[in-house]
Amino acid sequence: MVRQLFPISALLLGSALLLFAGGINSLLLPVRGTSEGFSAASLGLLGTGWAIGYVLGCWWTPRLVGRVGHVRSFGVMSSFAGVALLMSLLFLTPYVWVPLRGLSGFCFAGAAMIVESWLSERADATSRGKVFGVYTMVNLGASTAGQLVLTTGDTSGYLFFVLGAIFYSLALVPTAISSSVSPRPLVSVKLDLRALWRNSPVAVFGVFCVGISNSAFGTLAAVYADRAGLALASLALFASLPVLAGALTQVPVGFLSDRFDRRKVLLGVAFLALAVDMVFLVLQPEDRMLNLVLSATFGAAIYAMYPVIIAHANDHADDGHFIQTSGGLLMIFGMGSIFGPAVAGFAMSGVGQQGLFLTTAAAHLGLILFVMVRVAIRAPVAEEEKSDFVMAPSARGATPETAALAVGEEELGEEAGDDEAAAEKSEDAESEPRDPVAP
C-alpha cells in the first residue's frame, strides 16, 4: 500500500494543504462575519457565491489546463485562493466577500479537478479504489483540522486570515517540485437535462433538493450555532462533525441500498433528516451536547444521500456512462447549491435562526413527497441489474474528475474513448484548448 501511495504523495500533500486552508477559510468567514454584524442574508450569499464559482470552475478549468498545463494551473488556483482570503481581511464588507467567495469556489473546483485527474492517471486498476479512499479521507481530515484550528485563537484579528493564506501558498509547492508526468487532458462532461430526467427523475429532483439542503447547512451552520449560544470550540464541532458523520454512514447506507430499493433507502435517510429538522425547529436547543448530537445525526443523514442518488441514477443509465451521469448530476447539485444558502440566509434574517432548518425541512419534505410518488408509479430495479455503490465525498467538494477517479480502469477506458486519441489530444493541449465542461 505504501509503495502504491508514494508516487502520488506530492499530490495528496498538496491537496491536504489546500483543504486545510479551505477549512480555515470556510469557517472563519461566517464566524468573523457574525462578529462584524453581517446579516444572515449576506452570510448566506457567501454560499451562493461559492456555488456559482465552483460551477464555473468545473466549466473553465479544462480550457485553462489545455492552455498552460496542470502544474501552472494548480499554482494559479492556489495563489488566487490565498489572494481572496487576504482581500477578505482588507475589505470587511459582504459586498466584497461574496464575489471573493465566488473566486474561492472557482479555485477549489479547478484545483480539485487537476489533482483528481492526476491521481486517476497514476492509479491502476488494482489500486484505484484504495487511492480514491485515501484521497477522500485525506481531504476530510485536512478540512476538519482546518476548521478545528480556529478554536486555538481569536478570530477577531488577522491571525487566521494570514495562516490560511500561508497554507494556500504551501499547497502549490508539492506539485511544483514533483517530477510526476502530467496526465492526459481533463474529463469533459456534457450536461443533458432531458437525458438525465429520462434516466431517473428521482435522481434529478433529489440531487437538486439535496443541493439546497446541504449547501444551506454547510454555509450557515456556524451562524446558527453562534445564535444558539455555542462557544467557538463547540461551534467548530457543530460545523465539522456532520461531515465526518456523513462519511461514516456511507458504508451502512450503501450496504442497505445494494440490497433494497435505493429509493426507499433514500426515503428513510430523508425522513431522518426531516426529523432532525423538526427537532431543531420545535425545541431550538441551547444545550451544547444536544446540539452536537443533533448536528452529527443531521450530517449522517444529509451527506449520505448524494451517493445513493448517484447509484440509483446509474442503475438506470446505459453501461459506460458513469462519468456523464455523475458529472451531470453534480452540475444540478451545484444549481441547488446556488439557491440554498441565499434562501436560508434571507429566512434567518426574517424569522431568526430557525430559518435555516425551515429551508432544509422544505427541501427534505419536497424530496420525500416526490420519491414517494415515483415509488408508487415505477417498479424498482432488479437486484442483479444494480450498479455497484461507490462511496463519494460531499458533492460540494466533488468534480467530474471525482467520478473518473472513482470508477474502475475498464469503465474509465470505455468512457474516455480510444487511448491513442486521448494521447493525441494531450500532445496538442499546449496549442489547442479543450472544450470546456458544459454546465
Side-chain angles (χ1 to χ4, degrees), residues 254-279:
F255 177 85
L256 291 173
S257 74
D258 282 340
R259 283 153 181 78
F260 302 98
D261 185 348
R262 296 197 205 273
R263 298 170 301 176
K264 293 182 179 179
V265 175
L266 180 61
L267 275 175
V269 178
F271 270 116
L272 175 60
L274 182 61
V276 179
D277 287 325
M278 299 311 298
V279 172

mmCIF file with all atom_site columns, all heavy atoms in Angstrom, residues 254-279:
data_model
loop_
_atom_site.group_PDB
_atom_site.id
_atom_site.type_symbol
_atom_site.label_atom_id
_atom_site.label_alt_id
_atom_site.label_comp_id
_atom_site.label_asym_id
_atom_site.label_entity_id
_atom_site.label_seq_id
_atom_site.pdbx_PDB_ins_code
_atom_site.Cartn_x
_atom_site.Cartn_y
_atom_site.Cartn_z
_atom_site.occupancy
_atom_site.B_iso_or_equiv
_atom_site.pdbx_formal_charge
_atom_site.auth_seq_id
_atom_site.auth_comp_id
_atom_site.auth_asym_id
_atom_site.auth_atom_id
_atom_site.pdbx_PDB_model_num
ATOM 1   N N   . GLY A 1 254 ? -24.862 2.461  2.073  1.00 0.00 ? 254 GLY A N   1
ATOM 2   C CA  . GLY A 1 254 ? -24.560 1.804  0.817  1.00 0.00 ? 254 GLY A CA  1
ATOM 3   C C   . GLY A 1 254 ? -24.888 0.326  0.846  1.00 0.00 ? 254 GLY A C   1
ATOM 4   O O   . GLY A 1 254 ? -25.397 -0.229 -0.142 1.00 0.00 ? 254 GLY A O   1
ATOM 5   N N   . PHE A 1 255 ? -24.626 -0.321 1.968  1.00 0.00 ? 255 PHE A N   1
ATOM 6   C CA  . PHE A 1 255 ? -24.957 -1.740 2.138  1.00 0.00 ? 255 PHE A CA  1
ATOM 7   C C   . PHE A 1 255 ? -26.459 -1.962 1.980  1.00 0.00 ? 255 PHE A C   1
ATOM 8   O O   . PHE A 1 255 ? -26.901 -2.880 1.281  1.00 0.00 ? 255 PHE A O   1
ATOM 9   C CB  . PHE A 1 255 ? -24.495 -2.209 3.521  1.00 0.00 ? 255 PHE A CB  1
ATOM 10  C CG  . PHE A 1 255 ? -24.844 -3.632 3.848  1.00 0.00 ? 255 PHE A CG  1
ATOM 11  C CD1 . PHE A 1 255 ? -24.019 -4.673 3.442  1.00 0.00 ? 255 PHE A CD1 1
ATOM 12  C CD2 . PHE A 1 255 ? -25.999 -3.933 4.563  1.00 0.00 ? 255 PHE A CD2 1
ATOM 13  C CE1 . PHE A 1 255 ? -24.345 -5.995 3.751  1.00 0.00 ? 255 PHE A CE1 1
ATOM 14  C CE2 . PHE A 1 255 ? -26.324 -5.229 4.869  1.00 0.00 ? 255 PHE A CE2 1
ATOM 15  C CZ  . PHE A 1 255 ? -25.494 -6.282 4.461  1.00 0.00 ? 255 PHE A CZ  1
ATOM 16  N N   . LEU A 1 256 ? -27.250 -1.107 2.623  1.00 0.00 ? 256 LEU A N   1
ATOM 17  C CA  . LEU A 1 256 ? -28.706 -1.239 2.528  1.00 0.00 ? 256 LEU A CA  1
ATOM 18  C C   . LEU A 1 256 ? -29.203 -0.945 1.118  1.00 0.00 ? 256 LEU A C   1
ATOM 19  O O   . LEU A 1 256 ? -30.095 -1.643 0.605  1.00 0.00 ? 256 LEU A O   1
ATOM 20  C CB  . LEU A 1 256 ? -29.373 -0.274 3.515  1.00 0.00 ? 256 LEU A CB  1
ATOM 21  C CG  . LEU A 1 256 ? -29.204 -0.602 5.007  1.00 0.00 ? 256 LEU A CG  1
ATOM 22  C CD1 . LEU A 1 256 ? -29.774 0.529  5.860  1.00 0.00 ? 256 LEU A CD1 1
ATOM 23  C CD2 . LEU A 1 256 ? -29.881 -1.922 5.350  1.00 0.00 ? 256 LEU A CD2 1
ATOM 24  N N   . SER A 1 257 ? -28.625 0.072  0.462  1.00 0.00 ? 257 SER A N   1
ATOM 25  C CA  . SER A 1 257 ? -29.113 0.440  -0.862 1.00 0.00 ? 257 SER A CA  1
ATOM 26  C C   . SER A 1 257 ? -28.779 -0.617 -1.910 1.00 0.00 ? 257 SER A C   1
ATOM 27  O O   . SER A 1 257 ? -29.443 -0.702 -2.948 1.00 0.00 ? 257 SER A O   1
ATOM 28  C CB  . SER A 1 257 ? -28.543 1.798  -1.288 1.00 0.00 ? 257 SER A CB  1
ATOM 29  O OG  . SER A 1 257 ? -27.181 1.697  -1.636 1.00 0.00 ? 257 SER A OG  1
ATOM 30  N N   . ASP A 1 258 ? -27.746 -1.422 -1.660 1.00 0.00 ? 258 ASP A N   1
ATOM 31  C CA  . ASP A 1 258 ? -27.410 -2.505 -2.580 1.00 0.00 ? 258 ASP A CA  1
ATOM 32  C C   . ASP A 1 258 ? -28.363 -3.689 -2.441 1.00 0.00 ? 258 ASP A C   1
ATOM 33  O O   . ASP A 1 258 ? -28.437 -4.524 -3.348 1.00 0.00 ? 258 ASP A O   1
ATOM 34  C CB  . ASP A 1 258 ? -25.975 -2.982 -2.343 1.00 0.00 ? 258 ASP A CB  1
ATOM 35  C CG  . ASP A 1 258 ? -24.936 -2.045 -2.952 1.00 0.00 ? 258 ASP A CG  1
ATOM 36  O OD1 . ASP A 1 258 ? -25.306 -1.260 -3.848 1.00 0.00 ? 258 ASP A OD1 1
ATOM 37  O OD2 . ASP A 1 258 ? -23.768 -2.103 -2.529 1.00 0.00 ? 258 ASP A OD2 1
ATOM 38  N N   . ARG A 1 259 ? -29.092 -3.741 -1.340 1.00 0.00 ? 259 ARG A N   1
ATOM 39  C CA  . ARG A 1 259 ? -29.946 -4.894 -1.068 1.00 0.00 ? 259 ARG A CA  1
ATOM 40  C C   . ARG A 1 259 ? -31.435 -4.581 -1.121 1.00 0.00 ? 259 ARG A C   1
ATOM 41  O O   . ARG A 1 259 ? -32.264 -5.494 -1.161 1.00 0.00 ? 259 ARG A O   1
ATOM 42  C CB  . ARG A 1 259 ? -29.577 -5.493 0.293  1.00 0.00 ? 259 ARG A CB  1
ATOM 43  C CG  . ARG A 1 259 ? -28.299 -6.307 0.213  1.00 0.00 ? 259 ARG A CG  1
ATOM 44  C CD  . ARG A 1 259 ? -27.562 -6.371 1.539  1.00 0.00 ? 259 ARG A CD  1
ATOM 45  N NE  . ARG A 1 259 ? -26.318 -7.142 1.385  1.00 0.00 ? 259 ARG A NE  1
ATOM 46  C CZ  . ARG A 1 259 ? -25.204 -6.638 0.835  1.00 0.00 ? 259 ARG A CZ  1
ATOM 47  N NH1 . ARG A 1 259 ? -25.201 -5.395 0.403  1.00 0.00 ? 259 ARG A NH1 1
ATOM 48  N NH2 . ARG A 1 259 ? -24.125 -7.390 0.715  1.00 0.00 ? 259 ARG A NH2 1
ATOM 49  N N   . PHE A 1 260 ? -31.778 -3.323 -1.085 1.00 0.00 ? 260 PHE A N   1
ATOM 50  C CA  . PHE A 1 260 ? -33.171 -2.913 -1.149 1.00 0.00 ? 260 PHE A CA  1
ATOM 51  C C   . PHE A 1 260 ? -33.338 -1.835 -2.222 1.00 0.00 ? 260 PHE A C   1
ATOM 52  O O   . PHE A 1 260 ? -32.361 -1.362 -2.801 1.00 0.00 ? 260 PHE A O   1
ATOM 53  C CB  . PHE A 1 260 ? -33.643 -2.394 0.214  1.00 0.00 ? 260 PHE A CB  1
ATOM 54  C CG  . PHE A 1 260 ? -33.507 -3.392 1.333  1.00 0.00 ? 260 PHE A CG  1
ATOM 55  C CD1 . PHE A 1 260 ? -32.416 -3.345 2.195  1.00 0.00 ? 260 PHE A CD1 1
ATOM 56  C CD2 . PHE A 1 260 ? -34.459 -4.384 1.520  1.00 0.00 ? 260 PHE A CD2 1
ATOM 57  C CE1 . PHE A 1 260 ? -32.280 -4.264 3.227  1.00 0.00 ? 260 PHE A CE1 1
ATOM 58  C CE2 . PHE A 1 260 ? -34.336 -5.310 2.549  1.00 0.00 ? 260 PHE A CE2 1
ATOM 59  C CZ  . PHE A 1 260 ? -33.244 -5.246 3.405  1.00 0.00 ? 260 PHE A CZ  1
ATOM 60  N N   . ASP A 1 261 ? -34.574 -1.488 -2.476 1.00 0.00 ? 261 ASP A N   1
ATOM 61  C CA  . ASP A 1 261 ? -34.861 -0.399 -3.417 1.00 0.00 ? 261 ASP A CA  1
ATOM 62  C C   . ASP A 1 261 ? -34.157 0.863  -2.931 1.00 0.00 ? 261 ASP A C   1
ATOM 63  O O   . ASP A 1 261 ? -34.413 1.349  -1.825 1.00 0.00 ? 261 ASP A O   1
ATOM 64  C CB  . ASP A 1 261 ? -36.383 -0.185 -3.480 1.00 0.00 ? 261 ASP A CB  1
ATOM 65  C CG  . ASP A 1 261 ? -36.786 0.836  -4.529 1.00 0.00 ? 261 ASP A CG  1
ATOM 66  O OD1 . ASP A 1 261 ? -35.913 1.554  -5.049 1.00 0.00 ? 261 ASP A OD1 1
ATOM 67  O OD2 . ASP A 1 261 ? -37.995 0.920  -4.826 1.00 0.00 ? 261 ASP A OD2 1
ATOM 68  N N   . ARG A 1 262 ? -33.260 1.386  -3.752 1.00 0.00 ? 262 ARG A N   1
ATOM 69  C CA  . ARG A 1 262 ? -32.480 2.558  -3.321 1.00 0.00 ? 262 ARG A CA  1
ATOM 70  C C   . ARG A 1 262 ? -33.383 3.737  -2.987 1.00 0.00 ? 262 ARG A C   1
ATOM 71  O O   . ARG A 1 262 ? -33.058 4.557  -2.116 1.00 0.00 ? 262 ARG A O   1
ATOM 72  C CB  . ARG A 1 262 ? -31.487 2.958  -4.417 1.00 0.00 ? 262 ARG A CB  1
ATOM 73  C CG  . ARG A 1 262 ? -30.415 1.927  -4.722 1.00 0.00 ? 262 ARG A CG  1
ATOM 74  C CD  . ARG A 1 262 ? -29.267 2.561  -5.497 1.00 0.00 ? 262 ARG A CD  1
ATOM 75  N NE  . ARG A 1 262 ? -28.526 1.587  -6.291 1.00 0.00 ? 262 ARG A NE  1
ATOM 76  C CZ  . ARG A 1 262 ? -27.502 0.867  -5.840 1.00 0.00 ? 262 ARG A CZ  1
ATOM 77  N NH1 . ARG A 1 262 ? -27.133 0.979  -4.580 1.00 0.00 ? 262 ARG A NH1 1
ATOM 78  N NH2 . ARG A 1 262 ? -26.867 0.024  -6.642 1.00 0.00 ? 262 ARG A NH2 1
ATOM 79  N N   . ARG A 1 263 ? -34.504 3.860  -3.674 1.00 0.00 ? 263 ARG A N   1
ATOM 80  C CA  . ARG A 1 263 ? -35.410 4.971  -3.413 1.00 0.00 ? 263 ARG A CA  1
ATOM 81  C C   . ARG A 1 263 ? -35.979 4.886  -2.000 1.00 0.00 ? 263 ARG A C   1
ATOM 82  O O   . ARG A 1 263 ? -36.169 5.913  -1.335 1.00 0.00 ? 263 ARG A O   1
ATOM 83  C CB  . ARG A 1 263 ? -36.540 4.980  -4.447 1.00 0.00 ? 263 ARG A CB  1
ATOM 84  C CG  . ARG A 1 263 ? -36.063 5.183  -5.886 1.00 0.00 ? 263 ARG A CG  1
ATOM 85  C CD  . ARG A 1 263 ? -37.170 4.947  -6.880 1.00 0.00 ? 263 ARG A CD  1
ATOM 86  N NE  . ARG A 1 263 ? -37.704 3.582  -6.775 1.00 0.00 ? 263 ARG A NE  1
ATOM 87  C CZ  . ARG A 1 263 ? -38.730 3.122  -7.459 1.00 0.00 ? 263 ARG A CZ  1
ATOM 88  N NH1 . ARG A 1 263 ? -39.363 3.925  -8.314 1.00 0.00 ? 263 ARG A NH1 1
ATOM 89  N NH2 . ARG A 1 263 ? -39.148 1.883  -7.321 1.00 0.00 ? 263 ARG A NH2 1
ATOM 90  N N   . LYS A 1 264 ? -36.248 3.664  -1.529 1.00 0.00 ? 264 LYS A N   1
ATOM 91  C CA  . LYS A 1 264 ? -36.772 3.511  -0.169 1.00 0.00 ? 264 LYS A CA  1
ATOM 92  C C   . LYS A 1 264 ? -35.693 3.795  0.870  1.00 0.00 ? 264 LYS A C   1
ATOM 93  O O   . LYS A 1 264 ? -35.981 4.335  1.946  1.00 0.00 ? 264 LYS A O   1
ATOM 94  C CB  . LYS A 1 264 ? -37.351 2.113  0.005  1.00 0.00 ? 264 LYS A CB  1
ATOM 95  C CG  . LYS A 1 264 ? -38.592 1.872  -0.851 1.00 0.00 ? 264 LYS A CG  1
ATOM 96  C CD  . LYS A 1 264 ? -39.176 0.486  -0.624 1.00 0.00 ? 264 LYS A CD  1
ATOM 97  C CE  . LYS A 1 264 ? -40.438 0.294  -1.473 1.00 0.00 ? 264 LYS A CE  1
ATOM 98  N NZ  . LYS A 1 264 ? -41.030 -1.064 -1.304 1.00 0.00 ? 264 LYS A NZ  1
ATOM 99  N N   . VAL A 1 265 ? -34.453 3.424  0.551  1.00 0.00 ? 265 VAL A N   1
ATOM 100 C CA  . VAL A 1 265 ? -33.349 3.773  1.450  1.00 0.00 ? 265 VAL A CA  1
ATOM 101 C C   . VAL A 1 265 ? -33.190 5.289  1.499  1.00 0.00 ? 265 VAL A C   1
ATOM 102 O O   . VAL A 1 265 ? -33.004 5.876  2.577  1.00 0.00 ? 265 VAL A O   1
ATOM 103 C CB  . VAL A 1 265 ? -32.041 3.107  0.979  1.00 0.00 ? 265 VAL A CB  1
ATOM 104 C CG1 . VAL A 1 265 ? -30.867 3.567  1.834  1.00 0.00 ? 265 VAL A CG1 1
ATOM 105 C CG2 . VAL A 1 265 ? -32.180 1.579  1.023  1.00 0.00 ? 265 VAL A CG2 1
ATOM 106 N N   . LEU A 1 266 ? -33.288 5.936  0.337  1.00 0.00 ? 266 LEU A N   1
ATOM 107 C CA  . LEU A 1 266 ? -33.220 7.401  0.282  1.00 0.00 ? 266 LEU A CA  1
ATOM 108 C C   . LEU A 1 266 ? -34.352 8.018  1.096  1.00 0.00 ? 266 LEU A C   1
ATOM 109 O O   . LEU A 1 266 ? -34.145 9.011  1.814  1.00 0.00 ? 266 LEU A O   1
ATOM 110 C CB  . LEU A 1 266 ? -33.291 7.863  -1.168 1.00 0.00 ? 266 LEU A CB  1
ATOM 111 C CG  . LEU A 1 266 ? -33.244 9.373  -1.423 1.00 0.00 ? 266 LEU A CG  1
ATOM 112 C CD1 . LEU A 1 266 ? -31.942 9.972  -0.916 1.00 0.00 ? 266 LEU A CD1 1
ATOM 113 C CD2 . LEU A 1 266 ? -33.414 9.673  -2.912 1.00 0.00 ? 266 LEU A CD2 1
ATOM 114 N N   . LEU A 1 267 ? -35.537 7.435  1.000  1.00 0.00 ? 267 LEU A N   1
ATOM 115 C CA  . LEU A 1 267 ? -36.663 7.923  1.799  1.00 0.00 ? 267 LEU A CA  1
ATOM 116 C C   . LEU A 1 267 ? -36.369 7.822  3.287  1.00 0.00 ? 267 LEU A C   1
ATOM 117 O O   . LEU A 1 267 ? -36.650 8.751  4.061  1.00 0.00 ? 267 LEU A O   1
ATOM 118 C CB  . LEU A 1 267 ? -37.919 7.122  1.469  1.00 0.00 ? 267 LEU A CB  1
ATOM 119 C CG  . LEU A 1 267 ? -38.753 7.562  0.264  1.00 0.00 ? 267 LEU A CG  1
ATOM 120 C CD1 . LEU A 1 267 ? -39.888 6.583  0.032  1.00 0.00 ? 267 LEU A CD1 1
ATOM 121 C CD2 . LEU A 1 267 ? -39.290 8.972  0.465  1.00 0.00 ? 267 LEU A CD2 1
ATOM 122 N N   . GLY A 1 268 ? -35.816 6.687  3.709  1.00 0.00 ? 268 GLY A N   1
ATOM 123 C CA  . GLY A 1 268 ? -35.506 6.518  5.127  1.00 0.00 ? 268 GLY A CA  1
ATOM 124 C C   . GLY A 1 268 ? -34.517 7.557  5.628  1.00 0.00 ? 268 GLY A C   1
ATOM 125 O O   . GLY A 1 268 ? -34.699 8.139  6.709  1.00 0.00 ? 268 GLY A O   1
ATOM 126 N N   . VAL A 1 269 ? -33.478 7.807  4.843  1.00 0.00 ? 269 VAL A N   1
ATOM 127 C CA  . VAL A 1 269 ? -32.476 8.800  5.234  1.00 0.00 ? 269 VAL A CA  1
ATOM 128 C C   . VAL A 1 269 ? -33.093 10.195 5.239  1.00 0.00 ? 269 VAL A C   1
ATOM 129 O O   . VAL A 1 269 ? -32.816 11.014 6.130  1.00 0.00 ? 269 VAL A O   1
ATOM 130 C CB  . VAL A 1 269 ? -31.267 8.732  4.283  1.00 0.00 ? 269 VAL A CB  1
ATOM 131 C CG1 . VAL A 1 269 ? -30.246 9.805  4.648  1.00 0.00 ? 269 VAL A CG1 1
ATOM 132 C CG2 . VAL A 1 269 ? -30.621 7.357  4.331  1.00 0.00 ? 269 VAL A CG2 1
ATOM 133 N N   . ALA A 1 270 ? -33.946 10.479 4.246  1.00 0.00 ? 270 ALA A N   1
ATOM 134 C CA  . ALA A 1 270 ? -34.591 11.793 4.179  1.00 0.00 ? 270 ALA A CA  1
ATOM 135 C C   . ALA A 1 270 ? -35.546 12.003 5.351  1.00 0.00 ? 270 ALA A C   1
ATOM 136 O O   . ALA A 1 270 ? -35.645 13.112 5.893  1.00 0.00 ? 270 ALA A O   1
ATOM 137 C CB  . ALA A 1 270 ? -35.337 11.936 2.857  1.00 0.00 ? 270 ALA A CB  1
ATOM 138 N N   . PHE A 1 271 ? -36.269 10.952 5.751  1.00 0.00 ? 271 PHE A N   1
ATOM 139 C CA  . PHE A 1 271 ? -37.144 11.065 6.926  1.00 0.00 ? 271 PHE A CA  1
ATOM 140 C C   . PHE A 1 271 ? -36.328 11.351 8.189  1.00 0.00 ? 271 PHE A C   1
ATOM 141 O O   . PHE A 1 271 ? -36.761 12.123 9.059  1.00 0.00 ? 271 PHE A O   1
ATOM 142 C CB  . PHE A 1 271 ? -37.956 9.785  7.104  1.00 0.00 ? 271 PHE A CB  1
ATOM 143 C CG  . PHE A 1 271 ? -39.281 9.793  6.379  1.00 0.00 ? 271 PHE A CG  1
ATOM 144 C CD1 . PHE A 1 271 ? -39.525 8.896  5.352  1.00 0.00 ? 271 PHE A CD1 1
ATOM 145 C CD2 . PHE A 1 271 ? -40.276 10.692 6.726  1.00 0.00 ? 271 PHE A CD2 1
ATOM 146 C CE1 . PHE A 1 271 ? -40.750 8.903  4.670  1.00 0.00 ? 271 PHE A CE1 1
ATOM 147 C CE2 . PHE A 1 271 ? -41.496 10.710 6.068  1.00 0.00 ? 271 PHE A CE2 1
ATOM 148 C CZ  . PHE A 1 271 ? -41.730 9.808  5.035  1.00 0.00 ? 271 PHE A CZ  1
ATOM 149 N N   . LEU A 1 272 ? -35.150 10.720 8.308  1.00 0.00 ? 272 LEU A N   1
ATOM 150 C CA  . LEU A 1 272 ? -34.287 11.002 9.454  1.00 0.00 ? 272 LEU A CA  1
ATOM 151 C C   . LEU A 1 272 ? -33.855 12.466 9.450  1.00 0.00 ? 272 LEU A C   1
ATOM 152 O O   . LEU A 1 272 ? -33.898 13.142 10.494 1.00 0.00 ? 272 LEU A O   1
ATOM 153 C CB  . LEU A 1 272 ? -33.063 10.088 9.423  1.00 0.00 ? 272 LEU A CB  1
ATOM 154 C CG  . LEU A 1 272 ? -32.005 10.341 10.501 1.00 0.00 ? 272 LEU A CG  1
ATOM 155 C CD1 . LEU A 1 272 ? -32.597 10.175 11.901 1.00 0.00 ? 272 LEU A CD1 1
ATOM 156 C CD2 . LEU A 1 272 ? -30.803 9.408  10.313 1.00 0.00 ? 272 LEU A CD2 1
ATOM 157 N N   . ALA A 1 273 ? -33.454 12.973 8.283  1.00 0.00 ? 273 ALA A N   1
ATOM 158 C CA  . ALA A 1 273 ? -33.055 14.379 8.184  1.00 0.00 ? 273 ALA A CA  1
ATOM 159 C C   . ALA A 1 273 ? -34.220 15.297 8.534  1.00 0.00 ? 273 ALA A C   1
ATOM 160 O O   . ALA A 1 273 ? -34.047 16.296 9.253  1.00 0.00 ? 273 ALA A O   1
ATOM 161 C CB  . ALA A 1 273 ? -32.547 14.674 6.771  1.00 0.00 ? 273 ALA A CB  1
ATOM 162 N N   . LEU A 1 274 ? -35.422 14.976 8.041  1.00 0.00 ? 274 LEU A N   1
ATOM 163 C CA  . LEU A 1 274 ? -36.591 15.804 8.335  1.00 0.00 ? 274 LEU A CA  1
ATOM 164 C C   . LEU A 1 274 ? -36.921 15.771 9.829  1.00 0.00 ? 274 LEU A C   1
ATOM 165 O O   . LEU A 1 274 ? -37.323 16.793 10.404 1.00 0.00 ? 274 LEU A O   1
ATOM 166 C CB  . LEU A 1 274 ? -37.790 15.319 7.511  1.00 0.00 ? 274 LEU A CB  1
ATOM 167 C CG  . LEU A 1 274 ? -39.089 16.117 7.672  1.00 0.00 ? 274 LEU A CG  1
ATOM 168 C CD1 . LEU A 1 274 ? -38.885 17.566 7.249  1.00 0.00 ? 274 LEU A CD1 1
ATOM 169 C CD2 . LEU A 1 274 ? -40.214 15.477 6.861  1.00 0.00 ? 274 LEU A CD2 1
ATOM 170 N N   . ALA A 1 275 ? -36.747 14.616 10.455 1.00 0.00 ? 275 ALA A N   1
ATOM 171 C CA  . ALA A 1 275 ? -36.999 14.513 11.897 1.00 0.00 ? 275 ALA A CA  1
ATOM 172 C C   . ALA A 1 275 ? -36.063 15.433 12.682 1.00 0.00 ? 275 ALA A C   1
ATOM 173 O O   . ALA A 1 275 ? -36.487 16.120 13.624 1.00 0.00 ? 275 ALA A O   1
ATOM 174 C CB  . ALA A 1 275 ? -36.835 13.063 12.350 1.00 0.00 ? 275 ALA A CB  1
ATOM 175 N N   . VAL A 1 276 ? -34.793 15.469 12.280 1.00 0.00 ? 276 VAL A N   1
ATOM 176 C CA  . VAL A 1 276 ? -33.852 16.359 12.957 1.00 0.00 ? 276 VAL A CA  1
ATOM 177 C C   . VAL A 1 276 ? -34.206 17.815 12.675 1.00 0.00 ? 276 VAL A C   1
ATOM 178 O O   . VAL A 1 276 ? -34.111 18.675 13.559 1.00 0.00 ? 276 VAL A O   1
ATOM 179 C CB  . VAL A 1 276 ? -32.411 16.051 12.519 1.00 0.00 ? 276 VAL A CB  1
ATOM 180 C CG1 . VAL A 1 276 ? -31.427 16.996 13.208 1.00 0.00 ? 276 VAL A CG1 1
ATOM 181 C CG2 . VAL A 1 276 ? -32.048 14.604 12.823 1.00 0.00 ? 276 VAL A CG2 1
ATOM 182 N N   . ASP A 1 277 ? -34.625 18.105 11.439 1.00 0.00 ? 277 ASP A N   1
ATOM 183 C CA  . ASP A 1 277 ? -35.123 19.453 11.128 1.00 0.00 ? 277 ASP A CA  1
ATOM 184 C C   . ASP A 1 277 ? -36.189 19.884 12.121 1.00 0.00 ? 277 ASP A C   1
ATOM 185 O O   . ASP A 1 277 ? -36.149 21.003 12.667 1.00 0.00 ? 277 ASP A O   1
ATOM 186 C CB  . ASP A 1 277 ? -35.730 19.479 9.718  1.00 0.00 ? 277 ASP A CB  1
ATOM 187 C CG  . ASP A 1 277 ? -34.695 19.429 8.611  1.00 0.00 ? 277 ASP A CG  1
ATOM 188 O OD1 . ASP A 1 277 ? -33.613 20.002 8.786  1.00 0.00 ? 277 ASP A OD1 1
ATOM 189 O OD2 . ASP A 1 277 ? -34.988 18.811 7.568  1.00 0.00 ? 277 ASP A OD2 1
ATOM 190 N N   . MET A 1 278 ? -37.140 19.009 12.344 1.00 0.00 ? 278 MET A N   1
ATOM 191 C CA  . MET A 1 278 ? -38.267 19.348 13.213 1.00 0.00 ? 278 MET A CA  1
ATOM 192 C C   . MET A 1 278 ? -37.833 19.508 14.665 1.00 0.00 ? 278 MET A C   1
ATOM 193 O O   . MET A 1 278 ? -38.361 20.361 15.390 1.00 0.00 ? 278 MET A O   1
ATOM 194 C CB  . MET A 1 278 ? -39.356 18.280 13.092 1.00 0.00 ? 278 MET A CB  1
ATOM 195 C CG  . MET A 1 278 ? -39.929 18.125 11.688 1.00 0.00 ? 278 MET A CG  1
ATOM 196 S SD  . MET A 1 278 ? -40.410 19.701 10.929 1.00 0.00 ? 278 MET A SD  1
ATOM 197 C CE  . MET A 1 278 ? -41.693 20.235 12.076 1.00 0.00 ? 278 MET A CE  1
ATOM 198 N N   . VAL A 1 279 ? -36.872 18.700 15.101 1.00 0.00 ? 279 VAL A N   1
ATOM 199 C CA  . VAL A 1 279 ? -36.371 18.842 16.477 1.00 0.00 ? 279 VAL A CA  1
ATOM 200 C C   . VAL A 1 279 ? -35.720 20.214 16.647 1.00 0.00 ? 279 VAL A C   1
ATOM 201 O O   . VAL A 1 279 ? -35.949 20.909 17.647 1.00 0.00 ? 279 VAL A O   1
ATOM 202 C CB  . VAL A 1 279 ? -35.372 17.718 16.808 1.00 0.00 ? 279 VAL A CB  1
ATOM 203 C CG1 . VAL A 1 279 ? -34.710 17.989 18.161 1.00 0.00 ? 279 VAL A CG1 1
ATOM 204 C CG2 . VAL A 1 279 ? -36.074 16.370 16.835 1.00 0.00 ? 279 VAL A CG2 1
#
